[in-house]
Amino acid sequence: MQAKFDIPEAEKAKKKVMSTVGTRWRQFKSSLTTKFVYADTQAGQEENPSAKYGMDKQTWDEFVASRKTPDWQEIRKKAKESQKYNDCPHVLSRGGYDLLEKKMLDEKTKQRQQQALLTENPLSDLEEPPSPIKRHVKWKMARTKRYGQMTSKAAKEISDRIDSLEEQTTQGSFVPHGRDDILNTAIGKPEHPGRVRAAGSGMTLTQFYGRATRTSSSSSATLMQQQWADIIGNIKEQVRNEYEEQHKRSLEEFKKELSSQIFIQLSQMGSQYSPLIEVDLQALAARLSTKGSNVETADVDPSGDKNVSLKPTMGLYVQRQNTTVLVALGKICEGGSAIHNVTYADDVVRVSVDKVIEGDAEVPFPTSEIQYVKQALQTFIAWPTNLVKKVSHEESDTSPKKLPETDERGTNDFDHDPLRQLIKSLYFMYDTPVELKWDGSKFGLSNVDASFFLTFSDVNEIVAGYKCLNISILQLWMLFLDEWSSTLGHASVYGFLEPQSIHNAKDRRAECEHYLQAWLKESQREVYLGAYLNQGHWQLVVLCPATNVVAWFCSLRKKPDTHIKTAINNAMKSANTTADGTNNPATPKWVEVKSHVQSGGYECGYYVMHWMWNIVGGGLKNDWSMWFLDGTALDNETITTIRQKWAAYFLKVQSIQCTKS
């Protein structure tokens, strides 16, 4: 070697070079033995390694003979026996764990940079370096294939035990200690002398764990776990005794007191987060962007001051030949000169239509969404000032549909607010969740008589208005939109993806892909809307098989994760067929829509509900980036309106099921 190559004389450099050369030489001989000496394929047997690698025939024959001796056969047999014990093979490259850790840290840094761009002070979030990658995380990643499967059944079992131990660690029931950490406990075997699993090259036990004490690590960890178990047990016993001492009253008395407190607190939250403003989502769907478009038609000051004068009901007239005709009743709304982002002259006012008298009459200033008076109910439009006049009591009663009765403050009665009504249901749901039955076949499920439960905690999320939404909330919203789209004549246009069936795509990618593929082929809709829950964050995915487009909505501007994207791509490739009946192999085009960005940490579910409502209500099928341009946060009124709609539909479904039973 030294005669043919110029090797540095420095002691460490020379030692490193010679070590690397020796490793490569052993690998080369092993490759020759496997591919040619003991070739399993005909191609390997017929190929001439002498010509391929520039060896003379005598050298090659001597090498083959050395591999056929009885001593070598015995060595090979022992090596094959040892290899059988490697039941968890990894998929690492030559870089090993060191290269894997570098890639994972780079990805972690990249994610932090993307998230930092959404904060007020991006640089402050990047001052600290990313936390080191835990050993058991690297072990799992090293045995995870490209599409999420583990390399073997044994590796999958250890991976599941690692996930279980991680959860136990967060709960305090398992405490990693010394060499009995999560990885070693999950594997069930101690470390081999001289190396540490998943720690990288050159890492010894002493360097990684430190010097062992006289007390064995296993007994020390067992003692620590026992101490934690005793402490937790004592705390539980103490809490239980205090609870029994303080709550000796009967269960019924306790429930009544709790119900009263819940009612009072949620009523206060309802008045704080859901003011009694009659806002219909028809206006929401008509304008898509909520910025600067609030309907300001409240009759009284929100503080409840009775000295504030009521806004009178006005008559809305249209000009016909030489006379004016009363077509609706409404109120003049305060605000600027821009109405639905269109600026009008001073002789035009903004009015809210509260009552329709002649629904087929054309409005003075038609838009793409509103051409007739009946389409303007419970929203605001532009109206000529000279055609807005006071009306008598007799004129206001010309419509067969009476206006809702109001109390002395001018607001609707307490019972007319669905959120207030929902509070009353909480008492009965405290111990008994509500089971809602639905036809699963409408959403691609095989179970026609499917059902899901809504608990006290679920409904309380809607009542409170400042909590993250459970999956059952979005399931009910999906039922509502499916029913509503049918009434709009969109039954053949929109299909809905059942949230539970596409949830957790990382661990259930095959099932998720099968569900999407079967549902797309069976239903043949133009657009599919799916609320996707990924690591506690709601996102919206919109599938358009006909145009081979997927629209992605995220209120934190996160990119779609690999698992759901792969499942959707494969499903759409299979579902898309050309005119002659053959599959279209083209990968769908993904469009990341830059719409509203949430300002808090809980609103993502409401953003998904808002987008779904707008799409169905507006009859949208394409041009997603054109329709959704507003990058601001949703206002409180919009979120309150969505909560009211959800509450109203829940009360309706609950009432129907109670009547049937």
Side-chain angles (χ1 to χ4, degrees):
M1 291 294 299
Q2 295 182 353
K4 291 188 176 182
F5 297 96
D6 183 15
I7 301 176
E9 290 298 329
E11 181 178 354
K12 291 185 178 180
K14 184 176 182 180
K15 183 178 180 181
K16 179 65 176 178
V17 170
M18 296 302 293
S19 174
T20 303
V21 170
T23 301
R24 297 292 184 268
W25 174 239
R26 288 191 297 272
Q27 291 174 346
F28 177 64
K29 290 190 294 182
S30 176
S31 176
L32 290 176
T33 303
T34 303
K35 292 182 179 179
F36 302 104
V37 179
Y38 294 99
D40 294 332
T41 62
Q42 184 176 359
Q45 295 172 356
E46 295 177 352
E47 191 173 0
N48 184 5
S50 301
K52 183 175 182 179
Y53 295 107
M55 294 183 292
D56 58 79
K57 188 175 185 304
Q58 181 182 355
T59 302
W60 172 247
D61 292 340
E62 291 176 355
F63 177 77
V64 173
S66 69
R67 292 300 191 262
K68 297 288 187 177
T69 63
D71 292 341
W72 178 259
Q73 295 284 355
E74 186 66 23
I75 294 173
R76 185 168 182 264
K77 181 179 178 181
K78 289 182 179 179
K80 292 176 69 175
E81 290 294 329
S82 299
Q83 186 62 26
K84 291 181 180 179
Y85 294 102
N86 183 18
D87 55 355
C88 299
H90 61 71
V91 291
L92 295 176
S93 63
R94 288 183 178 179
Y97 283 104
D98 295 332
L99 180 59
L100 174 64
E101 183 171 15
K102 182 179 181 300
K103 289 181 178 179
M104 295 178 71
L105 286 173
D106 291 343
E107 181 64 24
K108 206 171 185 180
T109 302
K110 183 179 179 181
Q111 292 178 358
R112 289 183 61 195
Q113 291 173 347
Q114 292 176 349
Q115 294 177 357
L117 294 177
L118 303 177
T119 63
E120 295 181 357
N121 190 2
L123 295 179
S124 63
D125 295 336
L126 300 176
E127 293 176 355
E128 295 293 332
S131 57
I133 308 299
K134 295 181 179 179
R135 194 165 65 108
H136 60 270
V137 176
K138 291 189 290 183
W139 190 94
K140 283 179 57 178
M141 185 59 66
R143 286 153 183 83
T144 303
K145 296 181 181 179
R146 181 178 181 182
Y147 294 109
Q149 307 98 326
M150 303 302 292
T151 55
S152 66
K153 182 179 179 181
K156 179 66 168 63
E157 293 175 354
I158 294 175
S159 175
D160 293 340
R161 289 199 290 270
I162 289 175
D163 294 339
S164 176
L165 289 172
E166 282 186 315
E167 184 176 355
Q168 294 177 34
T169 302
T170 59
Q171 298 172 352
S173 57
F174 174 76
V175 181
H177 181 75
R179 300 186 185 184
D180 288 326
D181 58 3
I182 290 179
L183 180 58
N184 287 346
T185 304
I187 295 176
K189 298 178 183 179
E191 298 282 2
H192 292 281
R195 65 176 178 83
V196 182
R197 298 186 185 99
S201 61
M203 181 64 67
T204 65
L205 294 174
T206 304
Q207 291 173 335
F208 191 83
Y209 295 108
R211 294 191 176 275
T213 59
R214 291 185 178 182
T215 304
S216 66
S217 60
S218 60
S219 61
S220 176
T222 304
L223 179 61
M224 182 67 70
Q225 292 182 28
Q226 184 63 40
Q227 291 175 343
W228 272 105
D230 293 341
I231 292 173
I232 294 173
N234 292 335
I235 293 175
K236 288 182 177 179
E237 185 66 24
Q238 182 179 357
V239 172
R240 188 182 300 110
N241 292 336
E242 292 179 356
Y243 178 84
E244 293 176 354
E245 183 68 25
Q246 296 176 3
H247 298 274
K248 293 181 179 179
R249 297 183 296 271
S250 66
L251 179 60
E252 286 301 322
E253 291 178 350
F254 172 72
K255 288 176 64 177
K256 289 181 181 179
E257 181 178 346
L258 180 62
S259 174
S260 175
Q261 293 298 324
I262 291 174
F263 188 87
I264 293 173
Q265 293 181 17
L266 294 181
S267 296
Q268 294 172 350
M269 287 190 293
S271 60
Q272 179 181 357
Y273 292 97
S274 57
L276 293 178
I277 302 176
E278 284 295 328
V279 182
D280 195 275
L281 286 182
Q282 191 69 26
L284 191 65
R287 55 188 167 89
L288 293 181
S289 173
T290 60
K291 185 177 180 181
S293 302
N294 297 338
V295 182
E296 302 174 6
T297 60
D299 292 331
V300 296
D301 186 87
S303 63
D305 188 356
K306 298 181 180 180
N307 296 324
V308 178
S309 60
L310 302 180
K311 295 179 181 178
T313 299
M314 307 294 287
L316 306 180
Y317 293 80
V318 295
Q319 189 75 37
R320 287 183 184 168
Q321 296 180 353
N322 296 326
T323 184
T324 57
V325 179
L326 179 65
V327 295
L329 299 176
K331 296 183 179 71
I332 298 176
C333 302
E334 299 175 357
S337 59
I339 305 174
H340 292 308
N341 299 322
V342 178
T343 304
Y344 289 91
D346 296 336
D347 58 348
V348 175
V349 295
R350 179 166 60 173
V351 298
S352 66
V353 179
D354 299 331
K355 180 178 179 181
V356 174
I357 297 176
E358 189 174 327
D360 293 331
E362 294 186 0
V363 297
F365 301 102
T367 65
S368 59
E369 295 87 8
I370 302 175
Q371 293 88 33
Y372 302 97
V373 173
K374 60 185 178 183
Q375 297 173 326
L377 183 62
Q378 297 298 335
T379 184
F380 59 80
I381 57 175
W383 211 277
T385 305
N386 64 316
L387 295 179
V388 180
K389 308 175 183 178
K390 290 186 177 181
V391 293
S392 64
H393 179 72
E394 290 75 11
E395 288 177 306
S396 64
D397 287 336
T398 56
S399 172
K401 181 179 178 181
K402 294 185 178 180
L403 290 171
E405 296 180 1
T406 58
D407 59 18
E408 62 179 358
R409 297 178 301 170
T411 59
N412 287 337
D413 187 71
F414 177 92
D415 291 337
H416 290 168
D417 185 357
L419 287 175
R420 304 278 187 176
Q421 286 281 6
L422 198 60
I423 294 175
K424 297 180 180 180
S425 300
L426 286 178
Y427 171 79
F428 303 101
M429 296 179 64
Y430 186 75
D431 289 324
T432 307
V434 174
E435 181 181 8
L436 299 179
K437 298 184 181 298
W438 54 300
D439 184 359
S441 62
K442 292 184 177 180
F443 307 98
L445 303 180
S446 57
N447 188 2
V448 177
D449 299 323
S451 64
F452 63 94
F453 288 88
L454 280 163
T455 66
F456 172 89
S457 299
D458 297 334
V459 177
N460 190 30
E461 293 168 359
I462 290 292
V463 172
Y466 57 87
K467 296 183 178 181
C468 294
L469 302 181
N470 197 1
I471 197 167
S472 57
I473 300 295
L474 274 295
Q475 284 177 316
L476 185 67
W477 187 252
M478 174 192 67
L479 297 180
F480 166 59
L481 290 181
D482 179 69
E483 182 179 312
W484 184 53
S485 66
S486 297
T487 62
L488 296 177
H490 298 328
S492 62
V493 177
Y494 296 106
F496 298 90
L497 307 179
E498 200 279 311
Q500 191 70 47
S501 300
I502 61 175
H503 170 54
N504 203 10
K506 177 180 179 180
D507 299 327
R508 298 173 55 257
R509 189 184 64 80
E511 294 89 335
C512 175
E513 182 178 322
H514 175 73
Y515 164 75
L516 290 170
Q517 190 178 104
W519 181 225
L520 265 60
K521 285 186 176 181
E522 174 189 343
S523 55
Q524 295 294 316
R525 308 290 172 82
E526 297 183 47
V527 178
Y528 294 85
L529 308 179
Y532 177 57
L533 182 61
N534 181 30
Q535 298 181 349
H537 177 63
W538 283 106
Q539 296 155 312
L540 175 65
V541 59
V542 181
L543 313 185
C544 307
T547 57
N548 206 26
V549 171
V550 179
W552 177 260
F553 293 75
C554 179
S555 55
L556 291 179
R557 300 285 173 85
K558 292 183 177 180
K559 294 184 176 296
D561 69 272
T562 305
H563 310 286
I564 189 64
K565 190 170 184 177
T566 302
I568 290 175
N569 286 347
N570 293 340
M572 289 188 65
K573 285 181 182 180
S574 176
N576 284 343
T577 55
T578 59
D580 58 358
T582 58
N583 286 337
N584 180 10
T587 301
K589 177 184 177 182
W590 284 71
V591 178
E592 296 181 20
V593 182
K594 307 298 183 183
S595 188
H596 299 286
V597 177
Q598 68 184 73
S599 57
Y602 66 89
E603 309 100 321
C604 54
Y606 293 111
Y607 279 66
V608 170
M609 296 165 75
H610 167 76
W611 288 321
M612 295 174 74
W613 171 268
N614 282 329
I615 292 171
V616 174
L620 306 181
K621 304 176 187 178
N622 47 36
D623 297 329
W624 308 106
S625 297
M626 181 187 74
W627 290 111
F628 297 93
L629 293 173
D630 193 343
T632 62
L634 293 179
D635 52 42
N636 287 335
E637 181 186 339
T638 300
I639 294 179
T640 298
T641 305
I642 294 173
R643 291 165 52 214
Q644 288 174 332
K645 274 294 179 183
W646 188 97
Y649 185 71
F650 169 76
L651 295 171
K652 170 188 171 183
V653 174
Q654 185 184 33
S655 175
I656 293 175
Q657 294 199 2
C658 289
T659 303
K660 290 181 178 180
S661 59

